[in-house]
């Protein structure tokens, strides 16, 4: 770290006036040149933070087996990396945690605007969650939690890579989160804008040109 400014990102709370990292410092897909404002969270820091969350979850879960319910599509990369870290920790510890993974999809955005109505798509029979320990991963959870709770799982924990800082009173706070960020529309690391930018490893802020280019 050459200057003090890049070190700010090691705080999990990213301030509203954080200018981000210059795109020139990183490699990213050429087809997104001109579509991004800056890098908010580099991929390497995401990986390190996810490993720390896996350790925290391992400590809290104890000897219980868990069902990981991944919220698609934006949560799949975080979920996959989190599960892999938990598996590695379990293999190298005295206690083994059995995990099953299932998937649901919550459709909540049109372009960059959050929709009032939430659609839950996919997932196996949620009645199988009865009496289980659930670790949910994803960005939009309230509607999903209401559906899960009626099956009376033993415990529910929610992990999300990002929490947006917002003045809205209904803002949800997960049990585990990687970073608290300003109320920005971000893409990358499987987070998309109309199905674009999922192949971007870093979490970046999309610019107006990018929004116009991929608007539907």
């Amino acid at each position: 770290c050459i200057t003090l400014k890049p070190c700010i990102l090691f705080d999990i709370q990213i301030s509203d006036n954080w200018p981000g990292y210059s795109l020139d410092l990183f490699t990213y897909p050429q087809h997104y040149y001109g579509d991004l404002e800056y890098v908010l969270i580099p991929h390497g820091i995401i990986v390190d933070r996810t490993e720390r969350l896996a350790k925290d979850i391992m400590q809290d879960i104890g000897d219980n087996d868990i069902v990981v319910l991944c919220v698609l599509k934006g949560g799949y990369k975080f979920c996959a990396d989190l599960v892999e870290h938990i598996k590695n920790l379990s293999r190298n510890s005295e206690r083994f945690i059995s995990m099953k993974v299932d998937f649901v999809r919550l459709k909540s955005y049109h372009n960059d605007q959050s929709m009032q109505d939430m659609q839950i798509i996919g997932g196996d029979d949620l009645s199988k969650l009865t009496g289980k320990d659930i670790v949910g991963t994803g960005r939009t959870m309230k509607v999903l939690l209401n559906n899960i709770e009626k099956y009376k799982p033993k415990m529910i924990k929610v992990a999300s890579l990002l929490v947006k800082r917002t003045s809205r009173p209904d803002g949800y706070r997960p049990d585990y989160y990687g970073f608290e960020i300003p109320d920005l529309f971000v893409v990358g690391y499987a987070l998309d804008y109309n199905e674009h930018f999922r192949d971007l490893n870093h979490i970046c802020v999309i610019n107006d040109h990018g929004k116009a280019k991929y608007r539907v």
Side-chain angles (χ1 to χ4, degrees):
C1 186
I2 298 174
T3 66
L4 290 177
K5 187 160 60 174
C7 293
I8 297 173
L9 196 51
F10 287 101
D11 187 345
I12 64 172
Q13 293 185 333
I14 300 175
S15 66
D16 290 342
N17 59 359
W18 166 240
Y21 289 97
S22 169
L23 292 163
D24 295 335
L25 297 174
F26 302 91
T27 58
Y28 62 99
Q30 188 171 348
H31 48 271
Y32 295 138
Y33 284 11
D35 300 332
L36 301 168
E37 198 73 37
Y38 55 84
V39 174
L40 184 68
I41 311 176
H43 180 252
I45 294 179
I46 296 171
V47 172
D48 288 348
R49 180 65 181 140
T50 304
E51 184 175 10
R52 177 68 227 196
L53 293 178
K55 289 182 179 180
D56 292 341
I57 291 171
M58 280 277 291
Q59 291 174 355
D60 293 346
I61 292 298
D63 295 326
N64 296 303
D65 296 337
I66 60 175
V67 176
V68 178
L69 193 59
C70 177
V71 180
L72 299 173
K73 297 179 183 178
Y76 82 83
K77 186 142 184 59
F78 171 61
C79 181
D81 289 347
L82 183 66
V83 166
E84 190 61 30
H85 283 308
I86 293 175
K87 285 180 178 179
N88 289 336
L89 290 169
S90 178
R91 280 194 292 263
N92 295 308
S93 69
E94 296 180 354
R95 56 193 175 87
F96 173 75
I97 292 181
S98 175
M99 282 189 298
K100 295 181 180 179
V101 181
D102 198 2
F103 302 88
V104 295
R105 183 181 176 190
L106 302 183
K107 188 168 179 58
S108 58
Y109 275 91
H110 179 73
N111 292 322
D112 60 340
Q113 299 299 311
S114 180
M115 300 185 299
Q116 293 295 323
D117 295 328
M118 189 81 61
Q119 294 177 280
I120 300 178
I121 305 168
D124 287 343
D125 182 5
L126 293 182
S127 64
K128 295 178 182 178
L129 303 179
T130 302
K132 302 290 186 180
D133 294 324
I134 311 298
V135 177
T137 66
R139 296 174 298 142
T140 310
M141 294 301 301
K142 279 192 172 181
V143 173
L144 181 59
L145 288 175
N146 288 338
N147 279 269
I148 292 175
E149 285 170 351
K150 64 185 179 184
Y151 295 106
K152 302 186 184 306
K154 181 179 177 182
M155 177 174 61
I156 303 175
K157 296 287 186 181
V158 177
S160 179
L161 180 63
L162 304 177
V163 172
K164 284 188 179 181
R165 196 163 44 249
T166 174
S167 59
R168 294 189 296 272
D170 60 345
Y172 179 77
R173 301 291 292 190
D175 301 285
Y176 311 95
Y177 65 92
F179 304 92
E180 181 182 288
I181 67 172
D183 193 8
L184 301 168
F185 192 86
V186 294
V187 295
Y189 196 68
L191 302 175
D192 76 301
Y193 179 77
N194 293 328
E195 298 301 324
H196 297 277
F197 301 101
R198 294 196 192 276
D199 54 338
L200 180 65
N201 283 334
H202 315 293
I203 293 179
C204 300
V205 175
I206 187 173
N207 62 22
D208 290 339
H209 177 269
K211 290 179 182 180
K213 181 178 178 180
Y214 299 111
R215 190 179 301 276
V216 295

